[in-house]
Amino acid sequence: MTQPLLKIENLQTYFYARSKHSFVRAVDGVSLEVGQRETVGVVGESGSGKSITAMSIMGLIGAGPGVISGSIHFAGTRVRQNLLDGLDKYVRITEKNNRVMAVSKDESGWQKHSEKLMKNLRGKEIAMIFQNPRASLNPYITVGEQITEAVRLHTENKSVKEARERAIYWLEQVKIDSPRLRFNAYPSDMSGGMCQRAMIAMALSSEPALLIADEPTTGLDATIQSKIVGLLEELKYETGISTLLISHDISVISRLADRVAVMYGGAVVEYGPAKSVLGMGQPTKHPYTAALLASVPSEQKIRDKANLQTIEGDVLDTINVPAGCRFYARCNRVTPEIREKCATLHPGLKEVSPGHQMRCWLHCS
Amino acid sequence: MTAGRVQEPEREIIFMKKYIQTSGEIGDFSTLPVWQKYAIADLVYVAYGLLIVALVVVSYVAGMFAWLPYDPQQINMDAMMAPPLSEGYLLGSDFMGRDILSRLIMGIQAYFLPGLLAVSISLSGGVVLGILSGYRGGRVETIITYFTNLVDSFPRLVLILLVVAAFKPDIYYIMVVMGITGIPTVATAIANKIRFLAQKNFIEAAIALGLRTRVIIVKHILWYNCRALLIIHATIGMGEAILLETSLSYLGFGVQEPVSSWGNMVQSGANYFLQGNFWPSTAPALAIMFTILGFNLLGDGLNNILEDRREK
Amino acid sequence: MSRTILEVKQLSKYFHRNRGIFSALNRRSDAIPAVDNVSFYLRENETMGLVGESGCGKTTVGRTILRLTRPTSGSIIFDGRDITRLSDSELRPLRKDMQFIFQDLDAGLNPKMRVQDILREAVSVFERLSDAEAAVKSRMLLDQVNLKYSKLSSYPSELSGGEKRRVGIARVLAVGAKMIVADEPTSALDVSIQAQVVNLLRDLQKQLGLSYLFISHDLQVVELMSHKVAVMYLGRIVEMGLTERIAGAARHPYTYILWSSLVDKHNLEAVQTGKVDRRAAWGVFDFERPASGCRFAPRCPVYERRGRPAECTDPANEPQLRDVGGGHQVACHFPLGS
């Protein structure tokens, strides 16, 4: 097997929530792999740490008291390195009773070092598309110019003319109608869906090895969402770009991802091929994944006007991470035999079937 | 976290910023002692500001019971231009032999009530206009915007000189003018705050619930959301009043001799500054500086303490 | 048959751009119709879903009904009383019966007030209560929305999204509303919390006999909650009828596209087995052109397939809602299935 393009090992990202005077363990021991030409989906609710994982990869955690540890190995054709190499020199953490008590950080040193590490990568090897496309585009520069700029900055096409042609090519690729016309449009002249397409074109125009798509369809209208999903699907087969797709929308993930990681409370609770993680017929499921799938209104439920199946309780706040299973407080599958284990021991990622891992005492005791 | 980091970092890092976790479920903030709850700087600001305010009280009490070293208006030709720390005159005396310390203590009274008057005029006017403009909107807003622009575009000093010329150089007249010219700033600030709240559906939610307009304005807008803003404007206003009186005294339009004010003390003392007698003007000048600083810091500190917490 | 609690007749709301000293001169040219000639009614203990894409004016309809903005024309009859032209002070007592749930979770939750103060304020809007009575009532409200009493002393910033929503609903129930306009009450919430809120709203309807105008872009939730549905497009209702009819047997091409994009995206089983009906012919372009005649024509596949008939773009002949049987109304020259 070839080396994966991106290999995250035991990533931990902590934040200091100023208003709450506490550390948030936004990402707590996440390991993930994105192979060549593979789309890995990360699904989870707010506070599950999925976006923070993406930001950690992009080196956007610098500001404030955010700290990262673990390693992120990136192995592209041009660059190979650990994206977090040597960052831990700038932080010191004091822990007590499995709880972070204090963090000391040399912020400017951290920032400088992080910039150095990411300089040749961000936007070039790893590109990112965000949730709010209109906010991510500069409103005072035409869309075409912005893409041209990206092309000139990150690829061999240095002349303006070449770069423009390239930009138009990418606008065509994302199915923007009459791209030559749209080239001169400002973001404010375009609809949300068009802006998202332009964002995707811009991300792809630097021909990155890895694309991180953070909630690419959230906030768009239903009809446009399904169009964007369709576009991403086509691009996946046409360009074969490795993608880390982050979304709270299971249907988006299930349509696009080859492998899926389900995150809850900062940890990956289930990880494996999309079919076995999200497929309906699978008997072994993590209770959280099963509950998530069931809370989406099914056609049957709508027809019967039945009440929806809910997950009791609230999304775990990652300030007070429990000692046991993170999902224990809301889990409806706890049996008397395993109750004690669930409450006190954090389950490890165990393989339940080839390539399909899970953190649950029910399935892997 | 990985253990390696805690043990011996490669080099000693000096510029480390420390963040602490507090106890309780979500870092229970209310259990913290005051000095950890708020930024130290804010507390120092407020403490210093309160000290200045305390001095005002001291001045009135001392003045009332005549607990001053000397009568501030008593002329003593035998002790003209006594240097500071000379016998009986802690801060020295001026060209007429009047005790500078006593004059400084009484001088504060030249500002306090007039300053309060100015501040209350600009705050009350600003609140009324700001609420009308922000809450009612529409044509009222347009009219108020034009009015505030009109007032703003008039040089304040010229206006004051006109009033002084038309009536008499009285500090209260001056402060009324100052209060009126301060209205636009407060009104704009409040109107903007209301617009911001409206944007967050805050006011609409209150209306939809059925709350009385009076309750919405007084309780939700003014008390909960504008109090910090009003405090900061009040303290800045007090500082400004002092500054204005000083500049007017320099022109001879401020508080009139023999009543002492810091402004006329600086002005009369300045004539002797170049002769080497620096104290008659320096002492009040320093007093002005530290007092204005005190009022501004008080407003700043209170603003930070009242606003920043709990919001983010 | 139950009583009609709300009737909206030919409601229009125009927004004006360029407010300023010259606004009186160019007012006409700058009027933007956010809501254009919308009529419907809502019965007691009934839920009406209002769906459409963002910017179609569905929120404006909700806000106008509660008179949070003044309608440009048309009339709103609430509980047999015309409230279109009432003054603010005349409206106030009516607010006891009609309430609004805002999309923004923080709306109405003053960040500097504890939950108990927020609820105490809400229960004492229309009646004078002693502190003890207000406390009892606040606890009762928390029971109704399934919140722990321990949350009473929390500040809104300490609550999670679901808890904030529950407090928001409790605040609305506190005054004893009969009709609630819910503007995207679940869109800001997580999937697992969404289901809780949907169930809560439905239970409350059963217990208290509430009527909802449920505004949402989440078609599944609307389908689950509503007895009938109105679909809006660019300020107009293009189709309206019983939920089953709208979801299952849509007559307007737009409604059909809306629901098929849902199937396209959400039917996991079909996606995984590759049995997705692609409906390739139903391409929707994600841009909007100003149109004369039928607003949907520029995006309409039927218009395209029929060879762009002239009546669709005839400015004098904008399609009006007409009955196609069983209370099902559609505004289209060439409704599907005919």
Side-chain angles (χ1 to χ4, degrees), chain B residues 114-180:
Chain B
L116 272 187
L117 176 73
V119 164
S120 38
I121 288 175
S122 49
L123 286 193
S124 49
V127 162
V128 170
L129 292 189
I131 283 172
L132 278 177
S133 142
Y135 195 80
R136 292 290 296 277
R139 205 161 297 157
V140 184
E141 183 186 344
T142 318
I143 293 169
I144 290 174
T145 312
Y146 283 116
F147 167 74
T148 52
N149 286 348
L150 190 75
V151 174
D152 254 356
S153 59
F154 231 87
R156 178 183 276 185
L157 221 50
V158 173
L159 209 62
I160 289 170
L161 292 180
L162 279 178
V163 169
V164 167
F167 300 97
K168 57 175 182 179
D170 185 302
I171 185 74
Y172 283 95
Y173 287 180
I174 294 170
M175 288 299 150
V176 167
V177 177
M178 182 183 149
I180 291 170

Side-chain angles (χ1 to χ4, degrees), chain A residues 110-124:
Chain A
W110 165 288
Q111 194 75 43
K112 269 185 214 142
H113 190 83
S114 169
E115 287 304 316
K116 210 162 69 193
L117 286 172
M118 293 307 297
K119 208 175 121 199
N120 295 320
L121 286 161
R122 200 185 289 150
K124 189 170 181 181

Side-chain angles (χ1 to χ4, degrees), chain B residues 33-273:
Chain B
V34 179
W35 59 88
Q36 277 183 25
K37 204 144 87 175
Y38 307 113
I40 298 284
D42 288 338
L43 292 172
V44 173
Y45 288 2
V46 172
Y48 178 69
L50 290 178
L51 189 78
I52 297 290
V53 175
L55 284 181
V56 176
V57 178
V58 167
S59 154
Y60 273 93
V61 172
M64 202 184 300
F65 296 104
W67 286 342
L68 297 167
Y70 292 91
D71 181 347
Q73 294 176 20
Q74 184 196 348
I75 299 170
N76 182 357
M77 289 302 180
D78 297 334
M80 278 175 4
M81 288 297 171
L85 299 179
S86 60
E87 202 178 332
Y89 295 99
L90 192 61
L91 294 179
S93 66
D94 68 1
F95 67 103
M96 291 209 277
R98 296 177 295 193
D99 179 39
I100 289 180
L101 181 63
S102 309
R103 285 182 71 78
L104 271 185
I105 293 173
M106 292 312 284
I108 220 169
Q109 298 183 8
Y111 302 111
F112 191 65
L113 287 181
L116 272 187
L117 176 73
V119 164
S120 38
I121 288 175
S122 49
L123 286 193
S124 49
V127 162
V128 170
L129 292 189
I131 283 172
L132 278 177
S133 142
Y135 195 80
R136 292 290 296 277
R139 205 161 297 157
V140 184
E141 183 186 344
T142 318
I143 293 169
I144 290 174
T145 312
Y146 283 116
F147 167 74
T148 52
N149 286 348
L150 190 75
V151 174
D152 254 356
S153 59
F154 231 87
R156 178 183 276 185
L157 221 50
V158 173
L159 209 62
I160 289 170
L161 292 180
L162 279 178
V163 169
V164 167
F167 300 97
K168 57 175 182 179
D170 185 302
I171 185 74
Y172 283 95
Y173 287 180
I174 294 170
M175 288 299 150
V176 167
V177 177
M178 182 183 149
I180 291 170
T181 50
I183 289 175
T185 334
V186 182
T188 322
I190 287 185
N192 284 342
K193 187 87 193 179
I194 293 175
R195 251 168 249 142
F196 170 74
L197 292 175
Q199 210 174 27
K200 294 208 303 184
N201 287 329
F202 186 89
I203 291 170
E204 238 175 25
I207 295 174
L209 188 70
L211 289 175
R212 285 172 197 282
T213 316
R214 182 163 26 96
V215 176
I216 298 175
I217 289 176
V218 175
K219 181 176 173 190
H220 288 284
I221 295 179
L222 285 182
W223 173 243
Y224 280 113
N225 285 294
C226 291
R227 57 185 176 190
L229 189 148
L230 292 179
I231 284 175
I232 203 161
H233 275 284
T235 52
I236 288 176
M238 286 305 278
E240 249 177 42
I242 296 175
L243 213 57
L244 186 74
E245 198 278 339
T246 311
S247 18
L248 285 173
S249 287
Y250 218 88
L251 300 173
F253 295 120
V255 173
Q256 300 298 307
E257 292 269 13
V259 176
S260 69
S261 84
W262 296 349
N264 62 28
M265 286 172 75
V266 173
Q267 192 258 339
S268 62
N271 299 330
Y272 305 94
F273 189 82

Side-chain angles (χ1 to χ4, degrees), chain A residues 116-335:
Chain A
K116 210 162 69 193
L117 286 172
M118 293 307 297
K119 208 175 121 199
N120 295 320
L121 286 161
R122 200 185 289 150
K124 189 170 181 181
E125 293 290 320
I126 307 176
M128 190 160 176
I129 49 181
F130 295 94
Q131 187 185 127
N132 189 344
R134 189 161 287 149
S136 322
L137 290 166
N138 185 336
Y140 300 110
I141 304 177
T142 63
V143 172
E145 278 313 316
Q146 293 187 47
I147 300 175
T148 310
E149 207 176 300
V151 170
R152 289 185 66 199
L153 202 64
H154 297 305
T155 68
E156 299 305 311
N157 299 305
K158 292 296 178 199
S159 81
V160 177
K161 210 171 160 224
E162 262 180 306
R164 283 218 170 126
E165 284 309 310
R166 204 66 196 144
I168 288 170
Y169 165 79
W170 282 112
L171 284 176
E172 256 164 37
Q173 285 293 299
V174 296
K175 312 279 181 306
I176 283 184
D177 71 318
S178 44
R180 274 170 206 282
L181 219 71
R182 292 282 163 178
F183 188 89
N184 293 318
Y186 287 91
S188 53
D189 302 336
M190 313 207 312
S191 68
M194 290 286 255
C195 280
Q196 189 58 286
R197 279 164 199 266
M199 268 304 289
I200 296 172
M202 191 147 95
L204 294 177
S205 68
S206 57
E207 290 162 42
L210 177 71
L211 177 71
I212 299 177
D214 188 2
E215 304 271 8
T217 60
T218 311
L220 299 174
D221 286 319
T223 52
I224 291 157
Q225 271 188 23
S226 77
K227 288 281 145 191
I228 294 284
V229 171
L231 171 70
L232 288 171
E233 202 173 20
E234 270 174 53
L235 287 172
K236 179 185 158 185
Y237 293 116
E238 277 166 20
T239 63
I241 187 171
S242 305
T243 310
L244 185 68
L245 175 71
I246 291 159
S247 180
H248 69 275
D249 191 333
I250 302 172
S251 55
V252 171
I253 297 275
S254 71
R255 243 182 90 173
L256 292 171
D258 304 311
R259 275 195 296 157
V260 175
V262 182
M263 283 186 75
Y264 185 75
V268 173
V269 293
E270 192 173 2
Y271 183 42
K275 272 207 177 85
S276 43
V277 176
L278 300 178
M280 290 293 184
Q282 282 285 325
T284 42
K285 264 198 192 314
H286 193 282
Y288 176 61
T289 318
L292 260 192
L293 284 168
S295 63
V296 176
S298 69
E299 279 181 31
Q300 186 63 41
K301 288 253 172 57
I302 292 171
R303 224 172 293 135
D304 302 347
K305 299 264 173 195
N307 263 7
L308 291 175
Q309 191 177 333
T310 61
I311 312 178
E312 285 310 313
D314 242 307
V315 178
L316 182 76
D317 77 70
T318 40
I319 293 173
N320 295 294
V321 177
C325 175
R326 281 159 205 235
F327 191 56
Y328 171 64
R330 302 175 73 190
C331 188
N332 57 3
R333 301 281 303 278
V334 186
T335 57

Side-chain angles (χ1 to χ4, degrees), chain C residues 165-292:
Chain C
R165 179 51 83 220
R166 281 163 198 273
V167 175
I169 293 173
R171 183 174 174 272
V172 161
L173 294 176
V175 293
K178 284 193 249 169
M179 182 192 77
I180 295 175
V181 176
D183 183 14
E184 306 266 12
T186 59
S187 71
L189 299 170
D190 282 309
V191 192
S192 68
I193 309 298
Q194 269 183 14
Q196 292 176 7
V197 170
V198 168
N199 286 351
L200 173 66
L201 286 173
R202 289 178 48 161
D203 291 344
L204 287 173
Q205 180 166 45
K206 274 179 219 147
Q207 286 165 23
L208 307 171
L210 303 172
S211 319
Y212 292 129
L213 179 66
F214 193 86
I215 301 167
S216 178
H217 67 268
D218 189 333
L219 301 175
Q220 287 164 309
V221 172
V222 168
E223 218 177 313
L224 188 68
M225 286 283 301
S226 318
H227 303 99
K228 51 185 194 181
V229 174
V231 182
M232 280 187 79
Y233 186 76
L234 292 185
R236 281 213 166 203
I237 292 183
V238 294
E239 190 167 11
M240 183 160 59
L242 291 174
T243 309
E244 295 80 23
R245 299 276 303 254
I246 299 289
R251 305 294 297 276
H252 197 281
Y254 178 65
T255 315
Y256 186 73
I257 289 167
L258 266 186
W259 253 272
S260 57
S261 69
L262 186 73
V263 173
D264 208 22
K265 203 163 75 82
H266 281 277
N267 197 338
L268 301 178
E269 209 61 358
V271 169
Q272 279 155 13
T273 49
K275 278 192 300 194
V276 184
D277 171 13
R278 272 287 137 90
R279 299 174 205 239
W282 294 95
V284 182
F285 316 107
D286 47 6
F287 59 89
E288 287 149 7
R289 278 183 225 140
S292 54

Side-chain angles (χ1 to χ4, degrees), chain B residues 26 138 146 200-202 204-212 215 219-220 224-225 227 306-307 310-311, chain C residues 21 63 68 92 95 98-100 102 104 107-108 110-113 121-122 125-126 155 157-158 171 175:
Chain B
I26 45 163
Y146 283 116
K200 294 208 303 184
N201 287 329
F202 186 89
E204 238 175 25
I207 295 174
L209 188 70
L211 289 175
R212 285 172 197 282
V215 176
K219 181 176 173 190
H220 288 284
Y224 280 113
N225 285 294
R227 57 185 176 190
L306 285 177
E307 278 293 284
R310 295 270 178 230
E311 280 231 304
Chain C
I21 197 163
R63 285 164 32 101
L68 294 173
R92 215 182 71 83
R95 302 237 178 254
M98 47 182 206
Q99 282 289 323
F100 198 92
F102 287 85
D104 186 353
N110 189 334
K112 288 169 189 128
M113 281 164 82
E121 180 181 60
V125 175
F126 291 103
Y155 284 95
S157 61
E158 295 163 358
R171 183 174 174 272
V175 293

